[in-house]
Amino acid sequence: MTAPETGTTTAGTDPEALRERALASLATARARTTLLTTCVGEPDLTAQHSPLMSPLVWDLAHIGNQEELWLLRAVGGRAAIRPEIDGLYDAFEHPRAERPSLPLLPPAEARRYAAEVRGRALDVLEAADFHGSRLTEAGFAFGMIAQHEQQHDETMLITHQLRAGPPALTAPDPEPVPLFTGPAEVLVPGGPFTMGTSDEPWALDNERPAHPRQVEPFWIDTTPVTNAAYQEFIEDGGYDTERWWAPEGWAHIRRHAVSAPLFWRRDGTRWLRRRFGTTEAVPPDEPVLHVCWYEADAYARWAGRRLPTEAEWEKAARFDPVTGRSRRYPWGDDDPAAGHANLGQRHLRPAPAGGYPAGESPLGVRQLIGDVWEWTASDFLPYPGFRAFPYREYSEVFFGSGHKVLRGGSFAVDPVACRGTFRNWDYPVRRQIFSGFRTARSEDV
């Protein structure tokens, strides 16, 4: 038997604490949305900067529409404000590539709509008792909407990275850290542990339920793979050597002439990268960023290693060998603080590898939360006992071999949408996301 997972968020079940947490989470998300949609002019808001992304103005109104659907109509029982726009902002009805051709709300109207919805949603929150239904229990619907907005804020930040033109966003760099000289890898003991959660009140459906999972002993990188290490792969002909690549990955990089991480270019003997409108030398000690699953997998093969499975990643992040419990986060059960991880767009880049020692796991693995999303070897599949809630389109429709799991969050992820159990997923060719990786190996290799 595995030990049970640990308790719930620090808000507990006290109604006023839940109300304060929901209010703070919604306010933080809206402040970030406002920053991301007021730092550029209307032409940049309405343009599609990549066929992979929506116009920023679509995200803005979509955020408001989802809040109206779930907080005003579903929780509050209120009449619809703008029922005629529901279809325009249904992500499953209109793929991103066609959204610029839709009769979208102009920026000023989108802002007014989102603000009106928010004002009414706060009235619903003020009257909420957080009991009576699964949707309202422990403030779940409010947490779901705060997470949804923060996920779109991360998407909008990706759009800003793809946008051409001068910088529109600024943030201080992470604190410099001494060059990491600790062990390159950590042994994670074999045996059972509790994966997923049944206790975390704002956890989403694909994180549930908690269940026992068995893993064999394995070694995992202490920190994510750095730019310097990845450059060694490039310089050794990694992109020109077919044997390192999965067949689909080799076909993809040949077809699209991929020869380095996205936004990198060679300038003589130097590698440069574009970052939010500026060009800089690639920092050697930062975790590599903007690589797809196929690139991560090829690097791991070249290094004589492999990507960790999702279960291995979560055991490395949550398992405490002293107590046998699965923690909420690598550092324990407390909500993230600034010293634990690089989260919340406080910075616009990863911290150097080896940073945030206060956030390391009981086994000594660092930066498992924040900095870069980490590709795993696993397909995105449901846990045993999975039940879609509150709608199939959040997770269930994506299950299968077409999507790979990413874990841990990035510098672009807000703490409300990042936990030791949080699961992200994407196509194995995606590179515009803030993705990196770390490698693993079986104990007997």
Side-chain angles (χ1 to χ4, degrees):
M1 293 290 292
T2 59
E5 57 178 320
T6 56
T8 60
T9 168
T10 53
T13 57
D14 175 68
E16 291 313 307
L18 286 169
R19 204 179 323 276
E20 290 176 11
R21 182 184 185 219
L23 179 61
S25 298
L26 290 168
T28 298
R30 187 52 48 89
R32 187 178 176 197
T33 298
T34 301
L35 171 66
L36 291 164
T37 56
T38 57
C39 63
V40 292
E42 186 164 323
D44 276 326
L45 290 175
T46 57
Q48 185 174 46
H49 299 283
S50 164
L52 296 173
M53 311 304 291
S54 307
L56 292 168
V57 73
W58 185 92
D59 287 288
L60 175 58
H62 170 77
I63 285 167
N65 186 245
Q66 287 291 293
E67 189 166 323
E68 181 187 351
L69 289 172
W70 290 105
L71 298 189
L72 300 192
R73 301 185 203 174
V75 174
R78 308 263 180 119
I81 298 175
R82 300 286 298 268
E84 77 280 4
I85 68 172
D86 288 353
L88 290 176
Y89 297 102
D90 185 330
F92 291 89
E93 190 171 329
H94 300 289
R96 287 175 175 175
E98 70 177 42
R99 290 172 191 171
S101 65
L102 300 174
L104 303 177
L105 300 182
E109 190 173 353
R111 288 193 183 99
R112 285 195 297 271
Y113 169 63
E116 181 180 2
V117 171
R118 175 53 57 87
R120 298 188 188 191
L122 295 182
D123 291 339
V124 173
L125 174 61
E126 182 64 28
D129 63 5
F130 308 117
H131 295 290
S133 75
R134 187 175 171 193
L135 194 60
T136 57
E137 186 72 29
F140 174 81
F142 299 95
M144 178 183 74
I145 287 301
Q147 291 177 80
H148 174 266
E149 182 162 354
Q150 287 286 5
Q151 288 169 330
H152 276 272
D153 288 340
E154 181 179 7
T155 299
M156 289 194 285
L157 189 63
I158 293 169
T159 300
H160 275 283
Q161 168 66 359
L162 290 162
R163 181 185 64 85
L169 295 165
T170 60
D173 286 342
E175 290 292 322
V177 300
L179 182 67
F180 181 68
T181 57
E185 59 181 356
V186 169
L187 178 64
V188 180
F193 79 105
T194 300
M195 186 170 184
T197 181
S198 298
D199 292 346
E200 190 74 29
W202 288 3
L204 304 173
D205 61 3
N206 63 61
E207 301 171 65
R208 302 173 181 270
H211 59 283
R213 189 68 68 96
Q214 180 85 21
V215 299
E216 298 301 315
F218 68 98
W219 294 86
I220 192 167
D221 290 339
T222 308
T223 70
V225 170
T226 64
N227 289 320
Y230 199 84
Q231 282 178 238
E232 293 180 24
F233 169 67
I234 298 174
E235 303 301 338
D236 196 43
Y239 283 90
D240 301 312
T241 308
E242 183 175 359
R243 67 190 176 105
W244 305 132
W245 296 82
E248 300 86 353
W250 181 252
H252 175 74
I253 68 165
R254 295 293 99 187
R255 184 165 57 249
H256 296 280
V258 174
S259 59
L262 187 62
F263 306 117
W264 284 31
R265 65 179 176 86
R266 196 189 290 273
D267 178 31
T269 60
R270 297 190 307 161
W271 282 102
L272 305 178
R273 71 173 182 188
R274 183 168 62 82
R275 185 178 65 85
F276 297 107
T278 64
T279 298
E280 63 183 17
V282 171
D285 297 333
E286 280 186 14
V288 67
L289 191 62
H290 296 302
V291 290
C292 71
W293 185 90
Y294 290 124
E295 291 170 290
D297 179 64
Y299 173 96
R301 294 172 192 244
W302 168 82
R305 298 171 69 83
R306 57 177 174 82
L307 296 179
T309 67
E310 182 182 16
E312 288 174 335
W313 188 97
E314 187 167 324
K315 185 166 189 180
R318 300 183 64 208
F319 180 68
D320 183 343
V322 175
T323 64
R325 295 191 301 116
S326 288
R327 298 172 163 194
R328 294 179 69 216
Y329 298 95
W331 54 84
D333 299 333
D334 293 339
D335 290 335
H340 289 137
N342 181 7
L343 292 166
Q345 200 183 310
R346 296 197 314 269
H347 313 294
L348 290 172
R349 63 194 311 150
Y356 297 97
E360 73 177 24
S361 77
L363 297 168
V365 189
R366 294 196 179 184
Q367 292 171 288
L368 286 156
I369 299 293
D371 287 309
V372 294
W373 285 107
E374 298 185 15
W375 289 110
T376 73
S378 299
D379 296 335
F380 184 49
L381 298 172
Y383 289 160
F386 167 84
R387 300 178 71 178
F389 179 79
Y391 56 101
R392 292 183 60 249
E393 291 80 8
Y394 180 71
S395 301
E396 188 174 344
V397 298
F398 297 102
F399 289 145
S401 60
H403 294 85
K404 295 294 186 182
V405 174
L406 302 103
R407 299 297 296 263
S410 72
F411 65 86
V413 176
D414 188 80
V416 76
C418 189
R419 294 172 285 279
T421 58
F422 193 93
R423 307 173 77 195
N424 192 8
W425 65 94
D426 215 325
Y427 294 111
V429 298
R430 287 289 187 255
R431 307 204 304 156
Q432 83 277 12
I433 59 178
F434 300 114
S435 53
F437 64 100
R438 71 181 73 215
T439 68
R441 66 180 175 93
S442 301
E443 186 185 22
D444 57 355
V445 174

